[in-house]
Amino acid sequence: MAADSPLGTDHRGRGTLYERGLETATELAGEEAVRAFLDDLEPISRSTARLVVETVFGTLHHQPGLGRRDRELVTLAALAVLGDSEGELRIHLAIAHRIGVPPSSVVALFGHISAYAGFPRALNALAVAKGFYTERGVALPEQR
C-alpha cells in the first residue's frame, strides 16, 4: 500500500470524520475489503473515495434511528431497486453477512421488492445473492 493511501499513516490527522469513516468501514467490511475498495477507486478519483468514506461511513452510519442490520437491509434494497449495481450489492452482501444478517432475510428482502421495483430488479439481486452465498459455501434457505 502506498504511503499516501487513506489507510496509510499520512492521513491519520486529516480529519476526524474521515478517520471515523475508515474505522466504521473497517468494522463493517474488514480491512482487506476497505483496502481493495480504496485501491480500486483512488487511482481514478481520490476525492470520491474520500467522500464515500466521510459521507457513508463517517456520517450516515452514525445517524440515530437505525441499527447496523437495518441499515444494511435498507442499503441492499436500494441497490437492488437501482439495478446495474452488482459490485455494490456484493460489497454490501459481504457486510450484511459479516454482521450476521442471515441469507433468509436477504432472500426475503429481494423477493419482497419485486412488487415495488419489478421482477427484473428482484431477479437480478437474487442472482447476485445466490452467487455470493454459493462462492462462500453458505446454504440458501429452502423454499416451499
Side-chain angles (χ1 to χ4, degrees), residues 41-122:
L41 184 56
E42 275 191 317
I44 300 166
S45 179
R46 182 175 297 259
S47 63
T48 301
R50 188 171 191 88
L51 281 171
V52 169
V53 170
E54 289 177 347
T55 304
V56 175
F57 296 102
T59 303
L60 295 177
H61 274 270
H62 293 273
Q63 296 296 309
L66 292 175
R68 286 186 168 177
R69 180 184 192 278
D70 292 338
R71 281 185 207 286
E72 279 312 310
L73 289 174
V74 168
T75 301
L76 288 170
L79 291 170
V81 168
L82 285 171
D84 201 27
S85 57
E86 289 80 7
E88 290 82 5
L89 267 173
R90 292 181 69 75
I91 289 168
H92 286 279
L93 283 165
I95 291 172
H97 184 66
R98 184 176 164 97
I99 65 171
V101 176
S104 59
S105 293
V106 172
V107 169
L109 169 73
F110 291 157
H112 184 76
I113 67 164
S114 67
Y116 300 94
F119 284 106
R121 298 289 192 219

